[in-house]
Amino acid sequence: FANAHRDAACNAFVPIGDSFPIYMDKNRLNITKSEVQNAITELGFRNGPVNVEFCFDRKDRPIIVELGPRSGGGLLADIIYMTSGVDIISYCVKNAIGMPVNDIEDRPITRNIAAYSFHALKDGIFEALEIKPELMDKILQIEYFINPGEEVYRCDDSGKVIAIAICEFSDQNEMLHMMDSMNDYYKVVYEYEE
């Protein structure tokens, strides 16, 4: 399970990042895991990855919003591997070619790692991504999806990101703070019409 981060200034429903370890008390997490496992069992999923999105109702009960037979996007498989050693991609390939996958286990998260999708708040022509040193020092890798001079669009879906970075933080508090205020640590330079 991961923390899903969103940018209300852009689109409160589009995830712009995931971080590990999850910030949730043990009892709430165990109840959520049980609910998710029950749903997986009821739906008959037996092989392959399952991506789950959930929230909590006013009575603090987990509500499954999405449960799909796929890996999550946004370099999620990479950060799962980096934080726990679980190689989702290898498991998917083995499963697809009929090889047994029986060594999957719930492993502890050992690092504070997140993936963040850099995005624009308006449509325009992309010039540069300026990242402040405090964030640049945390970036382990970054993948760009557009180049200077290309059109950039307001990020109202996950296909409109500029770049995705994997970042490592010194502790969970730092990670959660930076992920929830990431717009303070970078600037998209682009031309746009007012």
Side-chain angles (χ1 to χ4, degrees), residues 103-158:
D103 61 338
I104 297 176
E105 60 184 313
D106 197 6
R107 297 184 191 167
I109 302 300
T110 60
R111 298 164 73 185
N112 295 289
I113 294 186
Y116 183 79
S117 298
F118 294 100
H119 55 280
L121 298 178
K122 298 178 183 177
D123 296 351
I125 304 298
F126 178 67
E127 294 178 9
L129 182 61
E130 295 178 355
I131 302 171
K132 290 185 177 179
E134 309 93 289
L135 175 57
M136 194 57 114
D137 290 344
K138 310 285 182 205
I139 295 176
L140 302 176
Q141 74 182 65
I142 188 166
E143 292 184 30
Y144 284 85
F145 301 106
I146 65 170
N147 298 304
E150 293 180 344
E151 290 185 27
V152 64
Y153 300 98
R154 181 179 182 275
C155 188
D156 56 8
D157 68 55
S158 60

Side-chain angles (χ1 to χ4, degrees), residues 34-175:
S34 177
E35 288 294 318
V36 169
Q37 185 59 58
N38 289 340
I40 289 170
T41 302
E42 286 292 318
L43 290 169
F45 289 148
R46 292 187 314 211
N47 296 312
V50 177
N51 186 68
V52 180
E53 298 279 341
F54 62 90
C55 60
F56 293 92
D57 68 10
R58 290 187 177 129
K59 295 182 180 179
D60 205 35
R61 297 175 298 202
I63 304 297
I64 296 173
V65 178
E66 175 193 351
L67 195 148
R70 64 179 181 83
S71 291
L75 301 179
L76 192 56
D78 296 64
I79 61 175
I80 289 171
Y81 181 74
M82 294 171 89
T83 59
S84 69
V86 174
D87 190 346
I88 299 290
I89 296 168
S90 290
Y91 289 143
C92 288
V93 170
K94 286 179 181 179
N95 184 56
I97 61 174
M99 291 178 65
V101 181
N102 47 18
D103 61 338
I104 297 176
E105 60 184 313
D106 197 6
R107 297 184 191 167
I109 302 300
T110 60
R111 298 164 73 185
N112 295 289
I113 294 186
Y116 183 79
S117 298
F118 294 100
H119 55 280
L121 298 178
K122 298 178 183 177
D123 296 351
I125 304 298
F126 178 67
E127 294 178 9
L129 182 61
E130 295 178 355
I131 302 171
K132 290 185 177 179
E134 309 93 289
L135 175 57
M136 194 57 114
D137 290 344
K138 310 285 182 205
I139 295 176
L140 302 176
Q141 74 182 65
I142 188 166
E143 292 184 30
Y144 284 85
F145 301 106
I146 65 170
N147 298 304
E150 293 180 344
E151 290 185 27
V152 64
Y153 300 98
R154 181 179 182 275
C155 188
D156 56 8
D157 68 55
S158 60
K160 295 179 181 173
V161 300
I162 296 165
I164 299 178
I166 294 179
C167 308
E168 184 165 18
F169 300 89
S170 59
D171 59 49
Q172 190 176 45
N173 289 334
E174 177 189 56
M175 177 181 69

